[in-house]
Amino acid sequence: MTEATQLGLRTQLVRFVLTGGLSAIVDYGLLVALMALGVDHTPAKIVSFVAGTTTAYLINRRWTFNSDGSRRKFAAVMGLYAITFALQVGIFTPLYPWLVSLGLGAEFMPKMNWAQLLGFVVAQGVATAVNFVVQRAVIFKA
């Protein structure tokens, strides 16, 4: 299938969400693991973001958007990821300590750090929405 035969919005959205789910598991799993090892929340989020978005790009490029992965498109996606990186880290960095201050840290429920989960979900949600719209409408547009 070539880029000229772009998949429909519904198919792309379903594939993007499935890919995003897998990428979020990579991102969140690494975030939790790094923080459990004592890495501060901001550097942990930076590393986990890079791993998650790399996973997303590799899968979305082929499966969701049927792209050949040209250098121009790769550069455009990396620029977009820089923006979503700033969004994710920019949202997570102040949100996590604020949620902890509300009592939603690991002490709230020892098996789950709700501040970590909620901060991740909010930051990820905003970045994902921006990411899909720009990739579909601009970068991988048929």
Side-chain angles (χ1 to χ4, degrees):
M1 185 177 287
T2 65
E3 288 181 73
T5 58
Q6 182 180 42
L7 298 170
L9 174 61
R10 181 180 174 155
T11 301
Q12 284 183 330
L13 190 56
V14 167
R15 288 180 178 194
F16 193 84
V17 168
L18 290 172
T19 300
L22 174 63
S23 301
I25 290 168
V26 170
D27 188 342
Y28 184 68
L30 192 53
L31 175 70
V32 170
L34 290 170
M35 289 179 73
L37 292 172
V39 178
D40 191 52
H41 69 283
T42 301
K45 182 59 189 154
I46 290 168
V47 171
S48 72
F49 174 86
V50 170
T53 54
T54 299
T55 302
Y57 170 74
L58 293 172
I59 297 170
N60 278 325
R61 176 181 64 91
R62 272 282 183 228
W63 190 50
T64 305
F65 298 112
N66 297 312
S67 176
D68 60 1
S70 70
R71 288 183 194 170
R72 181 188 64 77
K73 288 183 179 151
F74 177 75
V77 170
M78 291 304 108
L80 174 60
Y81 284 171
I83 292 166
T84 58
F85 171 79
L87 281 171
Q88 277 211 26
V89 175
I91 291 169
F92 185 81
T93 295
L95 187 58
Y96 174 74
W98 179 72
L99 291 168
V100 168
S101 77
L102 295 177
L104 296 173
E107 314 76 43
F108 178 66
M109 291 182 106
K111 300 275 184 187
M112 171 62 75
N113 185 332
W114 287 97
Q116 196 177 54
L117 178 63
L118 292 172
F120 178 86
V121 167
V122 170
Q124 183 72 30
V126 171
T128 297
V130 169
N131 199 356
F132 179 75
V133 169
V134 173
Q135 284 193 52
R136 184 172 202 281
V138 179
I139 297 171
F140 295 113
K141 185 172 117 178

